[in-house]
Amino acid sequence: MRASSFRSSALPRLALLVGSILAVPACESAPKPPEPGAAATAASVAEAPAEPPKPKGMPELLVDSMGPYLGGQRVDLAQKEGPEKLAKAIRALPIEGKPVTLIADKKAKPSAVAAVVTELGAAGAPQVIIKTDGRDDLPKEITVVPEGRVSKPPACAVSTMVMKDLATAIWPFGGGMGKRQRKGLAGPDLSNTGEQLTKDIAACSASVAFFSADDEVPWEMAHNLAGTVIASDAKKKLSTLVLLRAAPVAGRPVQLGGG
């Protein structure tokens, strides 16, 4: 009886001992859960937006009635983030210090065209070649210099713009008495405007001229005015034609930098 009772009492103890021995490696082989910090870091790296790669070649740059359309990317300048989005899109272009071609639709807003030209200059473009299907008797392609690349022009330099009522104004860059030409039958009177421009360009030693247009006027009118400036330069003394970033006030000193 003693031997059997000993065996019966020892068996449960032996079973417990074997179970504890087998349980140890099972616990040691269980994988450790990942640290919360490592998982969060991996997720943040995966979600971080990558900078868009620069295109190998210059894409088509367009400004139409809806605004800038650069390499397939539409920019709405009316939105709060519009100007920054425009600057970012232009910084991604392979400008490399070379002139850039811009297609401007006849119905585009002058302010939108000027905004693109300004940002192209800030990104390194020394000149912008603007192509617009304007009048047949005027250049359909004009080369402008971004405003930011011009400083301290002579006060007598010619400044001209198309007004809201389609009249034109011509006055010195430094401000002063200007000349106004009423609108013609189908737009600005560019014939009389051209005659006055010829006189004013010849009377100043400046090799730079400035042009702009009220934003209620379609870009075509501003483009035709720029072409008139070029055609009116009888002695071909102008080497720099500047599209102003913001429409100035006729007769007042022109403020570079959009001020």
Side-chain angles (χ1 to χ4, degrees), residues 9-34:
S9 62
L11 285 175
R13 295 178 184 178
L14 181 61
L16 289 174
L17 179 60
V18 172
S20 63
I21 292 173
L22 293 176
V24 170
C27 294
E28 291 180 351
S29 62
K32 293 183 179 181

Side-chain angles (χ1 to χ4, degrees), residues 23 29 45 55 59 65 68 77 113 122 140 171 181 185 187 210 219 242 256:
S29 62
V45 171
S65 59
L77 292 175
V113 178
K140 296 182 181 292
W171 73 100
Q181 298 292 339
L185 296 176
F210 302 84
W219 165 253
V242 179
L256 297 180

Side-chain angles (χ1 to χ4, degrees), residues 10 27 94 96 109 115 151 201 220:
C27 294
E96 299 175 351
K109 282 185 171 294
S151 62
I201 292 172
E220 178 186 9

Side-chain angles (χ1 to χ4, degrees), residues 7-221:
R7 284 195 298 268
S8 61
S9 62
L11 285 175
R13 295 178 184 178
L14 181 61
L16 289 174
L17 179 60
V18 172
S20 63
I21 292 173
L22 293 176
V24 170
C27 294
E28 291 180 351
S29 62
K32 293 183 179 181
E35 297 181 3
T41 302
S44 62
V45 171
E47 295 174 1
E51 283 291 328
K54 286 190 176 185
K56 294 181 179 180
M58 183 64 68
E60 182 179 82
L61 308 181
L62 168 71
V63 180
D64 58 20
S65 59
M66 297 176 63
Y69 188 70
L70 312 177
Q73 180 180 2
R74 172 68 69 185
V75 178
D76 186 357
L77 292 175
Q79 294 183 352
K80 183 179 180 181
E81 66 275 11
E84 177 55 33
K85 185 177 180 181
L86 174 65
K88 184 177 181 180
I90 290 179
R91 286 196 301 267
L93 297 174
I95 295 175
E96 299 175 351
K98 300 176 182 179
V100 176
T101 298
L102 173 67
I103 300 173
D105 185 82
K106 294 190 291 186
K107 295 182 180 181
K109 282 185 171 294
S111 63
V113 178
V116 173
V117 170
T118 300
E119 291 299 337
L120 286 171
Q127 295 176 321
V128 180
I129 302 165
I130 305 178
K131 296 182 177 182
T132 300
D133 187 17
R135 286 174 36 162
D136 292 333
D137 60 336
L138 291 171
K140 296 182 181 292
E141 179 178 305
I142 60 174
T143 299
V144 302
V145 173
E147 180 185 293
R149 291 181 168 265
V150 177
S151 62
K152 297 182 179 179
C156 65
V158 169
S159 303
T160 184
M161 70 176 295
V162 181
M163 312 290 285
K164 185 176 182 180
D165 60 359
L166 299 184
T168 61
I170 306 169
W171 73 100
F173 176 86
M177 186 65 67
K179 294 90 175 177
R180 180 185 174 97
Q181 298 292 339
R182 294 181 179 179
K183 66 166 289 189
L185 296 176
D189 183 352
L190 297 181
S191 178
N192 287 326
T193 299
E195 292 179 4
Q196 188 61 56
L197 282 169
T198 298
K199 296 176 183 178
D200 289 1
I201 292 172
C204 179
S205 61
S207 60
V208 58
F210 302 84
F211 77 101
S212 183
D214 188 277
D215 216 31
E216 294 297 318
V217 173
W219 165 253
E220 178 186 9
M221 304 299 182

